[in-house]
Amino acid sequence: MKIGVLGSGQLGQMMCLEAVPLGYGFYCYSPEKNSPAEKVGAKATTSSYESLDQIEKFINEVDVLSFEFENIPKQTLDFLSNQKNVSVFPPPKALIIAQDRFLEKSHFRKLGFRTANFFHLTRDTANIAVAIPFPWIIKTLRFGYDGKGQVKIRTEEEYKEFLNTAFLSDASEYLIEEVIPFQKEISIILTRFQNGDIVCYGAVENEHKDHILDLSIFPARIPVALNLEAIEMASKLAESLHYVGTLGVEFFLLDNHLYLNEFAPRPHNTGHYTQDCQSFSQFYLHVQAIVGKLPPTDVRPKPTLMKNILGNSYEESLTIANELLKDDRYHLHLYAKEEAKQGRKMGHMNFKGNLEEVNPLFHEL
């Protein structure tokens, strides 16, 4: 079977590393040359996501199509929704919802989930009073990640200043959200198979620096009841989308209440710990789900930590990583990106064990 993936970054790389040993052909499509996925053996097509002719040629070469990058143009997703000759997992509708913050939050509310209060800001609604107390986060409606496309608004005066320039750029729509003073951020990584079965390891706890994920701790240090509630909410979301594959669902925890923040229709950075949790990785489960296999039954993950490695001090981080690798509980995963840049995710390191066991050097990566 031939697996095609739109996107060719580190998530595609890690999918490829699981798919090829299982005997599947792996093909990636993106505008990027010499990509992380291509470097580990994916057969690459380099072209624009807007080029429907090239997309059509690509999908005619594969048996099943998936995604490692959700910001695919809507016209391309609509085109894929109408394809009969290739199976597409997850369904393109899931990406359309995930890449539009208003659609996403509205979908959560329809399912009865608690979210931050929000307001859809457009040129037409800019004169309407916003009934959300300050402070706010104003986000571009689409294509923001790792804190990009966001601004914090604390007063009416700051909001007026924002409106003075808000609609002068390409961004013509925004989402205003109340700031949730959360005590923890957690996420659920689950995989839903074509028969509707779901494999989920439970909540992972996440810490950020400068809006970028820094550390993930599995299992999350939360009460059992909240862990089960988060799994139930994420499962209900996956079922509502008729989802097939792995997805990540992020929550804020405040006063023993879960606020659903966002979801990613693909394997997720907070799920990288699964590569070394002594069970199945999120990438293995994604591949098996999209090709139509049944879920595994022996799923017993063990405590694991994941630390992102950024391009900020990359050479220094590699020196630290090589020191930690003298202990076989540490595992290094590098993405082979062409250039280390400030804030760019260059790799991650996993530790098989609990937080209190980790070498302090791990936090310096």
Side-chain angles (χ1 to χ4, degrees):
M1 179 173 285
K2 297 178 180 179
I3 298 172
V5 170
L6 296 190
S8 61
Q10 64 262 26
L11 300 180
Q13 179 192 78
M14 289 181 271
M15 287 183 203
C16 183
L17 289 171
E18 292 282 16
V20 171
L22 294 171
Y24 302 123
F26 197 88
Y27 298 71
C28 65
Y29 180 107
S30 83
E32 185 179 354
K33 295 180 179 178
N34 203 25
S35 66
E38 187 176 359
K39 287 178 179 178
V40 296
K43 297 179 181 178
T45 297
T46 305
S47 190
S48 164
Y49 293 123
E50 288 85 3
S51 176
L52 298 185
D53 288 344
Q54 291 300 316
I55 294 278
E56 185 171 28
K57 288 180 182 178
F58 179 75
I59 63 177
N60 284 337
E61 295 179 2
V62 301
D63 301 302
V64 60
L65 182 72
S66 191
F67 308 90
E68 67 100 61
F69 174 75
E70 67 262 41
N71 290 331
I72 306 297
K74 185 176 182 300
Q75 72 218 39
T76 302
L77 294 173
D78 290 338
F79 172 76
L80 293 173
S81 296
N82 295 317
Q83 295 305 304
K84 305 299 183 185
N85 297 327
V86 65
S87 299
V88 183
F89 301 120
K93 181 183 176 182
L95 280 77
I96 290 171
I97 291 173
Q99 65 184 219
D100 182 309
R101 289 188 167 100
F102 179 68
L103 288 180
E104 182 182 48
K105 283 289 195 297
S106 299
H107 188 75
F108 295 164
R109 287 288 180 90
K110 287 177 184 176
L111 294 173
F113 298 149
R114 183 184 292 107
T115 72
N117 289 315
F118 60 95
F119 178 84
H120 186 194
L121 176 63
T122 67
R123 287 182 175 87
D124 293 333
T125 64
N127 294 321
I128 298 174
V130 181
I132 300 173
F134 293 107
W136 306 337
I137 297 290
I138 300 184
K139 304 176 180 180
T140 54
L141 207 65
R142 300 176 182 86
F143 305 145
Y145 63 96
D146 290 344
K148 297 178 176 66
Q150 301 185 14
V151 61
K152 193 169 187 177
I153 301 294
R154 299 170 181 83
T155 65
E156 188 69 33
E157 289 71 26
E158 288 183 1
Y159 181 45
K160 289 178 180 177
E161 289 178 12
F162 174 83
L163 288 177
N164 285 337
T165 58
F167 302 109
L168 298 179
S169 68
D170 292 336
S172 59
E173 296 182 77
Y174 301 87
L175 197 73
I176 297 176
E177 288 186 18
E178 69 171 324
V179 173
I180 302 294
F182 58 90
Q183 292 142 342
K184 285 183 189 290
E185 181 187 298
I186 66 168
S187 58
I188 292 290
I189 307 298
L190 67 77
T191 305
R192 186 171 183 267
F193 287 74
Q194 292 184 35
N195 67 353
D197 287 351
I198 288 174
V199 172
C200 178
Y201 292 159
V204 57
E205 182 179 338
N206 306 306
E207 298 179 357
H208 291 72
K209 287 184 180 177
D210 300 323
H211 304 288
I212 301 174
L213 179 67
D214 179 56
L215 177 69
S216 290
I217 304 163
F218 177 81
R221 298 166 295 179
I222 61 173
V224 171
L226 283 175
N227 183 50
L228 293 174
E229 182 183 354
I231 293 172
E232 182 179 355
M233 291 170 68
S235 299
K236 185 176 178 181
L237 173 63
E239 289 164 357
S240 76
L241 298 168
H242 305 289
Y243 200 91
V244 171
T246 296
L247 84 162
V249 187
E250 296 182 357
F251 300 85
F252 295 143
L253 176 59
L254 175 64
D255 298 332
N256 281 326
H257 292 299
L258 291 172
Y259 291 77
L260 187 46
N261 181 40
E262 62 184 20
F263 79 98
R266 52 171 171 75
H268 194 253
N269 195 177
T270 63
H272 291 351
Y273 78 90
T274 60
Q275 291 174 297
D276 299 294
C277 71
Q278 301 176 64
S279 188
F280 305 98
S281 82
Q282 63 169 339
F283 304 102
Y284 173 88
L285 293 172
H286 182 78
V287 168
Q288 296 291 67
I290 65 175
V291 301
K293 298 295 185 181
L294 293 175
T297 55
D298 187 17
V299 177
R300 290 180 288 182
K302 295 185 178 179
T304 313
L305 307 178
M306 190 284 300
K307 184 76 163 59
N308 265 339
I309 298 173
L310 305 183
N312 305 15
S313 304
Y314 188 49
E315 294 302 323
E316 182 180 340
S317 294
L318 291 183
T319 300
I320 294 170
N322 284 322
E323 180 64 27
L324 292 171
L325 286 172
K326 295 175 182 178
D327 182 335
D328 63 10
R329 293 175 295 174
Y330 294 89
H331 297 266
L332 181 62
H333 303 266
L334 298 179
Y335 307 152
K337 292 186 176 179
E338 292 291 280
E339 183 181 358
K341 294 181 181 179
Q342 188 81 9
R344 173 178 278 182
K345 295 169 184 172
M346 301 297 295
H348 64 274
M349 190 168 223
N350 289 336
F351 172 71
K352 295 193 289 190
N354 294 297
L355 184 61
E356 57 270 18
E357 302 173 89
V358 75
N359 188 318
L361 285 174
F362 186 74
H363 298 289
E364 298 179 20
L365 286 168

